[in-house]
Amino acid sequence: MTTTTTATYWTELDSPVGRLLLTAAPDGALTSLSVPGQKGGRAVREDWRHDAGPFRAAGEQLAAYFAGELTEFRLPLRAEGTAFRERVWAALDDVPYGETTTYGEIAARIGASRPAVRAVGGAIGANPLLILRPCHRVIGADGSLTGYAGGLERKTRLLALEGVPAPAPAPAPSRPVPPPATPR
């Protein structure tokens, strides 16, 4: 029995939000963009091929984005996930530069029920193509800054780069105040 494996190419690029790790399929389609410390981010594996060649266009477009000269990426992307996650990720592609949306709005765009908002959040958190697929543009229904796999500081910087006023941090969960102790 013969098994075939598909090569994964990788490179790293410097950016204003830290070192970026990019991976691509042999045909040049980008399969991930990760940042250091990213929840669920990728790490270089021994069987990957280090080659900057497949990433020239991505490097140029990312540099233009960070310089404020590019508002829409035009790169081949190939993220693999469940059908639900892929629908969520496709909806992210429709969030315009310099604008934000909410998890509920993404759920509505894909025809998901109101209770599916949590699943939408999970799919957004699993987005393997940070920055390129703009999950940083998703905020809480109350307008607050919510989680980001790359860290809230990066999310804030990306939104500021796009001219979005800084959303307020998500409110801390409230805790009930215990009743005062009664003397014995």
Side-chain angles (χ1 to χ4, degrees), residues 57-58 60-66 68-77 92-98 131-134 136-137 161-162:
E60 291 168 1
Q61 289 186 36
L62 283 161
Y65 169 79
F66 286 118
E69 301 164 355
L70 181 83
T71 61
E72 185 178 335
F73 293 102
R74 297 196 182 278
L75 297 165
L77 305 177
L92 289 174
D93 291 338
D94 294 333
V95 181
Y97 178 94
I131 304 168
L132 301 173
R133 185 156 274 151
H136 59 277
R137 297 178 188 153
L161 172 83
E162 295 184 14

Side-chain angles (χ1 to χ4, degrees), residues 21-170:
L21 170 63
L22 289 90
T23 62
D27 65 0
L30 296 174
T31 55
S32 73
L33 186 156
S34 300
V35 296
Q38 175 184 333
K39 181 182 175 186
R42 297 191 83 177
V44 177
R45 294 181 12 185
E46 265 188 45
D47 60 334
W48 290 0
R49 296 180 185 173
H50 185 250
D51 183 354
F55 304 98
R56 282 192 185 93
E60 291 168 1
Q61 289 186 36
L62 283 161
Y65 169 79
F66 286 118
E69 301 164 355
L70 181 83
T71 61
E72 185 178 335
F73 293 102
R74 297 196 182 278
L75 297 165
L77 305 177
R78 183 176 309 126
E80 294 182 9
T82 65
F84 178 80
R85 283 185 173 182
E86 289 181 7
R87 284 195 343 256
V88 171
W89 298 338
L92 289 174
D93 291 338
D94 294 333
V95 181
Y97 178 94
E99 294 184 24
T100 59
T101 191
T102 66
Y103 296 92
E105 290 168 351
I106 294 288
R109 286 183 195 181
I110 66 166
S113 65
R114 184 75 186 135
V117 170
R118 186 174 296 262
V120 167
I124 290 170
N127 171 22
L129 289 156
L130 294 189
I131 304 168
L132 301 173
R133 185 156 274 151
C135 54
H136 59 277
R137 297 178 188 153
V138 183
I139 60 173
D142 61 358
S144 65
L145 190 63
T146 55
Y148 182 62
L152 289 180
E153 182 180 320
R154 281 191 186 97
K155 183 174 189 165
T156 302
R157 291 183 71 189
L158 292 168
L159 291 173
L161 172 83
E162 295 184 14
V164 176

Side-chain angles (χ1 to χ4, degrees), residues 7-30:
T8 297
Y9 293 89
W10 70 276
T11 197
E12 290 182 313
L13 302 171
D14 287 322
S15 83
V17 295
R19 196 104 171 121
L20 307 177
L21 170 63
L22 289 90
T23 62
D27 65 0
L30 296 174

